[in-house]
Amino acid sequence: MKKFLKSSLVLLTACTVVLAGCGNNNNANSGNAANGDKGTNAGTATNAPAEAPKSDVKIGLVTDVGGVNDKSFNQSAWEALQALETESGAQIKYLQSKSNADYEPNLNQFVKGGYNLTWGIGFDLGDALLKVAKENPDANLAIIDSVVDAPNVESVTFAENEGSFLVGVVAGLTTKTNKVGFIGGMESPVIKRFEVGFKAGVEAVNPNATVTITYAGAYDKPDTGKSLAATLYDAGNDIIFPAAGATGNGVFNEAKSRNDAGGTKVWVIGVDKDQSLEFGDDVTLTSMIKRVDEAVKKVSQQVVDGTFKGGTTTVLSLKDNGVGLPETSKANVSAEILAKVDEYKQQIIDGKITVPSE
């Protein structure tokens, strides 16, 4: 009997140790997100598996005011770093800017913290990133959608006008009312490329269609996007293309409400990501994909590999698959229209068509 009790106590002690170990592992892998200074949100990745490779490389990402969960531009960039973390073990973190005043201190927080690469996501960060780059010549920085002329900065821009031309072709051949709309975020050269490319695509295939252009004046105002969309839909526009970050989420919300209520079918054209994956095929006609994720991952990988080249600018276009339409477009766009899109795509790549950019 004594031998049995002694064995039972040993077994109970072993189980207790195992359970305690499991509890410690859960705490270690729980991750965290914290609020930074000056109205800035900070986040760290939380999904790296325990067996992931380890790396001393640290990469920071500063969003524009659209935020890291904008379901568009900034989110694509952050998802790219999350993928890099899983594959390489690099340490990643983001700082979310709530106003333009946050850009410089956020960038400096990573640079002064010894990060191997600091990203600025968006045209609006250009001036702040240039200042930080000049003040910290030994730091590596990179930016999306702006060209920063500094030897320690890699700049990546896109031919948004080319991809927007193609979704303009879709809109021009799909509209039932011959009225389509465009909602931009802030007026800038980048958003202008979206606007003029879209308008040119619509007009190329449907000269009877009108394109109504409006700007929200913000990338982080879904309510404003919803209101502007309501005005355009009320005026007979049955397709809207928003290039406005999180503001564009409001356009989807308005379209979904109208379609759920019945009546005239309305559509939204997604931007930056395949937004049908977020908002559904019932409201997303197609999307103008901009491979921010591929650009961020490629440049960040250079830092991991030790091949980062500052002072360079890369422009990603249709021929580079930097912009274009997703495969999911076939859910709502006819094979005939997609064939026409392919025709125009090839003509643009071959130089037979030059899409306006301003």
Side-chain angles (χ1 to χ4, degrees), residues 270-311:
V271 69
D272 295 334
K273 294 174 57 122
D274 178 0
Q275 292 193 298
S276 70
L277 302 179
E278 178 70 31
F279 296 103
D281 291 329
D282 59 325
V283 70
T284 311
L285 178 60
T286 183
S287 295
M288 202 297 273
I289 291 182
K290 179 174 167 179
R291 298 313 302 267
V292 173
D293 55 343
E294 290 296 329
V296 168
K297 190 175 179 184
K298 181 178 180 180
V299 174
S300 299
Q301 185 66 53
Q302 292 173 1
V303 175
V304 174
D305 297 339
T307 59
F308 178 85
K309 299 176 182 178

Coordinates of all heavy atoms in Angstrom, one line a residue, residues 270-311:
G270 N -13.0 47.6 -55.5 CA -12.0 47.6 -54.4 C -10.7 48.2 -54.9 O -10.4 48.4 -56.1
V271 N -9.8 48.5 -53.9 CA -8.6 49.1 -54.2 C -7.5 48.5 -53.3 O -7.7 48.1 -52.1 CB -8.6 50.6 -54.0 CG1 -8.8 51.0 -52.5 CG2 -7.4 51.4 -54.6
D272 N -6.3 48.4 -53.9 CA -5.0 48.0 -53.2 C -5.0 46.5 -52.9 O -4.1 45.8 -53.3 CB -4.8 48.7 -51.9 CG -4.5 50.2 -52.1 OD1 -4.1 50.6 -53.2 OD2 -4.8 51.0 -51.2
K273 N -6.0 46.0 -52.2 CA -6.2 44.5 -52.0 C -7.4 44.0 -52.7 O -8.2 44.8 -53.3 CB -6.4 44.3 -50.5 CG -5.3 44.6 -49.5 CD -5.7 44.5 -48.1 CE -6.2 43.0 -47.8 NZ -5.5 42.4 -46.8
D274 N -7.5 42.7 -52.8 CA -8.7 42.0 -53.3 C -9.8 42.2 -52.2 O -9.9 41.4 -51.3 CB -8.5 40.6 -53.6 CG -9.7 39.9 -54.1 OD1 -10.8 40.5 -54.3 OD2 -9.6 38.6 -54.4
Q275 N -10.6 43.3 -52.3 CA -11.5 43.6 -51.2 C -12.8 42.7 -51.3 O -13.6 42.8 -50.3 CB -11.8 45.1 -51.3 CG -10.6 45.9 -50.9 CD -10.9 47.3 -50.6 OE1 -11.4 48.1 -51.4 NE2 -10.6 47.8 -49.3
S276 N -12.9 41.9 -52.3 CA -14.0 40.9 -52.2 C -13.8 39.9 -51.1 O -14.8 39.4 -50.5 CB -14.2 40.2 -53.6 OG -13.1 39.3 -53.7
L277 N -12.6 39.7 -50.7 CA -12.3 38.8 -49.6 C -12.8 39.4 -48.3 O -13.0 38.6 -47.3 CB -10.8 38.5 -49.5 CG -10.2 37.9 -50.8 CD1 -8.7 37.7 -50.6 CD2 -10.9 36.6 -51.2
E278 N -12.9 40.7 -48.2 CA -13.3 41.3 -47.0 C -14.8 41.7 -47.0 O -15.5 41.4 -46.0 CB -12.5 42.6 -46.8 CG -12.9 43.4 -45.6 CD -12.5 42.8 -44.2 OE1 -11.5 42.1 -44.2 OE2 -13.3 43.0 -43.2
F279 N -15.3 42.2 -48.1 CA -16.6 42.7 -48.2 C -17.6 41.8 -49.0 O -18.8 42.0 -49.0 CB -16.6 44.1 -48.8 CG -15.9 45.1 -48.0 CD1 -14.6 45.5 -48.3 CD2 -16.5 45.6 -46.8 CE1 -14.0 46.5 -47.5 CE2 -15.8 46.5 -46.0 CZ -14.5 47.0 -46.4
G280 N -17.1 40.8 -49.7 CA -17.9 39.8 -50.4 C -18.2 40.1 -51.8 O -18.1 41.3 -52.3
D281 N -18.5 39.1 -52.6 CA -18.8 39.2 -54.0 C -20.1 39.9 -54.3 O -20.3 40.3 -55.5 CB -18.8 37.8 -54.7 CG -17.4 37.2 -54.7 OD1 -16.4 37.9 -54.8 OD2 -17.3 36.0 -54.6
D282 N -21.0 40.0 -53.4 CA -22.3 40.6 -53.6 C -22.2 42.1 -53.8 O -23.1 42.7 -54.4 CB -23.3 40.3 -52.5 CG -22.8 40.8 -51.2 OD1 -21.6 40.8 -50.9 OD2 -23.7 41.2 -50.4
V283 N -21.1 42.7 -53.4 CA -21.0 44.1 -53.5 C -19.7 44.6 -54.3 O -19.6 45.6 -54.8 CB -21.0 44.8 -52.1 CG1 -19.8 44.5 -51.3 CG2 -21.2 46.3 -52.2
T284 N -18.7 43.7 -54.3 CA -17.4 44.0 -54.9 C -17.4 43.5 -56.4 O -17.4 42.3 -56.7 CB -16.2 43.3 -54.2 OG1 -16.4 43.6 -52.8 CG2 -14.9 43.9 -54.7
L285 N -17.4 44.5 -57.3 CA -17.4 44.1 -58.7 C -16.1 43.5 -59.1 O -16.0 42.5 -59.8 CB -17.7 45.4 -59.6 CG -17.7 45.2 -61.1 CD1 -18.7 44.2 -61.5 CD2 -17.9 46.6 -61.8
T286 N -15.0 44.2 -58.8 CA -13.6 43.8 -59.0 C -12.8 44.6 -58.1 O -13.3 45.4 -57.3 CB -13.2 43.9 -60.5 OG1 -11.8 43.4 -60.6 CG2 -13.2 45.4 -60.9
S287 N -11.5 44.5 -58.1 CA -10.5 45.3 -57.3 C -9.3 45.7 -58.2 O -8.9 44.9 -59.0 CB -10.1 44.6 -56.1 OG -11.2 44.3 -55.2
M288 N -8.8 46.9 -57.9 CA -7.5 47.2 -58.5 C -6.4 46.9 -57.5 O -6.2 47.6 -56.5 CB -7.5 48.7 -58.9 CG -6.5 49.1 -59.9 SD -4.8 48.8 -59.5 CE -4.4 50.3 -58.7
I289 N -5.8 45.8 -57.7 CA -4.8 45.3 -56.8 C -3.5 46.1 -57.0 O -3.0 46.3 -58.1 CB -4.5 43.8 -56.9 CG1 -5.7 43.0 -56.4 CG2 -3.3 43.4 -56.1 CD1 -5.6 41.5 -56.5
K290 N -2.9 46.5 -55.9 CA -1.6 47.2 -55.9 C -0.7 46.4 -55.0 O -1.0 46.3 -53.8 CB -1.8 48.6 -55.4 CG -0.6 49.5 -55.4 CD -1.1 50.9 -55.0 CE 0.0 51.8 -54.6 NZ -0.4 53.2 -54.3
R291 N 0.3 45.8 -55.5 CA 1.1 44.8 -54.7 C 2.0 45.5 -53.7 O 3.2 45.3 -53.7 CB 1.8 43.9 -55.6 CG 0.9 43.0 -56.5 CD -0.3 42.4 -55.9 NE 0.1 41.5 -54.8 CZ 0.3 40.2 -54.9 NH1 0.1 39.6 -56.1 NH2 0.6 39.5 -53.9
V292 N 1.4 46.2 -52.8 CA 2.2 46.8 -51.7 C 2.9 45.7 -50.9 O 4.0 45.9 -50.5 CB 1.3 47.7 -50.8 CG1 2.1 48.2 -49.6 CG2 0.8 48.9 -51.6
D293 N 2.1 44.6 -50.7 CA 2.7 43.5 -49.9 C 3.9 43.0 -50.5 O 4.9 42.7 -49.8 CB 1.6 42.4 -49.8 CG 1.0 41.9 -51.1 OD1 1.2 42.6 -52.1 OD2 0.4 40.9 -51.1
E294 N 3.9 42.8 -51.8 CA 5.1 42.2 -52.5 C 6.3 43.2 -52.4 O 7.5 42.7 -52.2 CB 4.8 41.9 -53.9 CG 3.9 40.7 -54.1 CD 4.5 39.4 -53.6 OE1 5.7 39.2 -53.7 OE2 3.7 38.5 -53.1
A295 N 6.0 44.5 -52.6 CA 7.1 45.4 -52.5 C 7.7 45.5 -51.1 O 9.0 45.5 -51.0 CB 6.6 46.8 -52.9
V296 N 6.9 45.6 -50.1 CA 7.4 45.6 -48.7 C 8.2 44.4 -48.4 O 9.2 44.5 -47.7 CB 6.2 45.8 -47.7 CG1 6.6 45.6 -46.3 CG2 5.6 47.2 -47.9
K297 N 7.7 43.2 -48.7 CA 8.3 42.0 -48.4 C 9.7 41.9 -49.1 O 10.7 41.5 -48.5 CB 7.5 40.8 -48.8 CG 8.0 39.5 -48.2 CD 7.0 38.3 -48.5 CE 7.6 37.0 -48.0 NZ 6.7 35.9 -48.3
K298 N 9.7 42.3 -50.4 CA 10.9 42.2 -51.2 C 12.1 43.1 -50.6 O 13.2 42.6 -50.4 CB 10.7 42.6 -52.6 CG 11.9 42.5 -53.5 CD 11.5 42.8 -55.0 CE 12.8 42.7 -55.9 NZ 12.4 43.1 -57.3
V299 N 11.7 44.3 -50.3 CA 12.8 45.2 -49.8 C 13.2 44.8 -48.4 O 14.4 44.9 -48.0 CB 12.2 46.7 -49.8 CG1 13.2 47.6 -49.1 CG2 12.0 47.2 -51.2
S300 N 12.2 44.4 -47.6 CA 12.5 43.9 -46.2 C 13.4 42.7 -46.2 O 14.3 42.6 -45.4 CB 11.2 43.6 -45.5 OG 10.4 44.8 -45.4
Q301 N 13.2 41.8 -47.2 CA 14.0 40.6 -47.3 C 15.5 41.0 -47.6 O 16.4 40.3 -47.2 CB 13.5 39.7 -48.4 CG 14.2 38.4 -48.6 CD 14.0 37.5 -47.3 OE1 12.9 37.2 -46.9 NE2 15.1 37.0 -46.8
Q302 N 15.7 42.1 -48.4 CA 17.0 42.6 -48.7 C 17.8 42.9 -47.4 O 19.0 42.6 -47.3 CB 17.0 43.8 -49.5 CG 16.4 43.6 -50.9 CD 16.3 44.9 -51.7 OE1 16.5 46.0 -51.2 NE2 15.8 44.8 -52.9
V303 N 17.1 43.4 -46.4 CA 17.7 43.7 -45.1 C 18.1 42.5 -44.4 O 19.2 42.3 -43.8 CB 16.8 44.6 -44.2 CG1 17.4 44.8 -42.9 CG2 16.5 45.9 -44.9
V304 N 17.2 41.5 -44.4 CA 17.5 40.2 -43.8 C 18.7 39.5 -44.5 O 19.6 39.0 -43.8 CB 16.2 39.2 -43.9 CG1 16.6 37.8 -43.4 CG2 15.1 39.8 -43.1
D305 N 18.8 39.7 -45.8 CA 19.9 39.0 -46.6 C 21.1 39.9 -46.6 O 22.2 39.4 -47.1 CB 19.4 38.8 -48.0 CG 18.2 37.8 -48.1 OD1 18.0 37.0 -47.1 OD2 17.5 37.8 -49.1
G306 N 21.0 41.1 -46.1 CA 22.2 42.0 -46.2 C 22.5 42.6 -47.5 O 23.6 43.0 -47.8
T307 N 21.4 42.7 -48.4 CA 21.6 43.2 -49.7 C 20.8 44.5 -50.0 O 20.6 44.9 -51.1 CB 21.2 42.2 -50.8 OG1 19.8 41.9 -50.6 CG2 22.0 40.9 -50.7
F308 N 20.4 45.2 -48.9 CA 19.7 46.4 -49.0 C 20.5 47.5 -49.8 O 21.6 47.7 -49.6 CB 19.3 47.0 -47.6 CG 18.5 48.3 -47.6 CD1 17.2 48.3 -47.8 CD2 19.2 49.5 -47.5 CE1 16.4 49.5 -47.8 CE2 18.5 50.7 -47.5 CZ 17.1 50.7 -47.6
K309 N 19.8 48.1 -50.7 CA 20.4 49.2 -51.6 C 19.7 50.5 -51.4 O 18.6 50.7 -52.0 CB 20.4 48.7 -53.0 CG 21.2 47.5 -53.3 CD 21.1 47.1 -54.8 CE 21.8 45.7 -55.1 NZ 21.6 45.3 -56.5
G310 N 20.2 51.4 -50.7 CA 19.6 52.7 -50.6 C 19.8 53.5 -51.8 O 20.6 53.2 -52.7
G311 N 19.1 54.6 -51.9 CA 19.3 55.5 -53.0 C 18.6 55.0 -54.3 O 19.0 55.5 -55.4

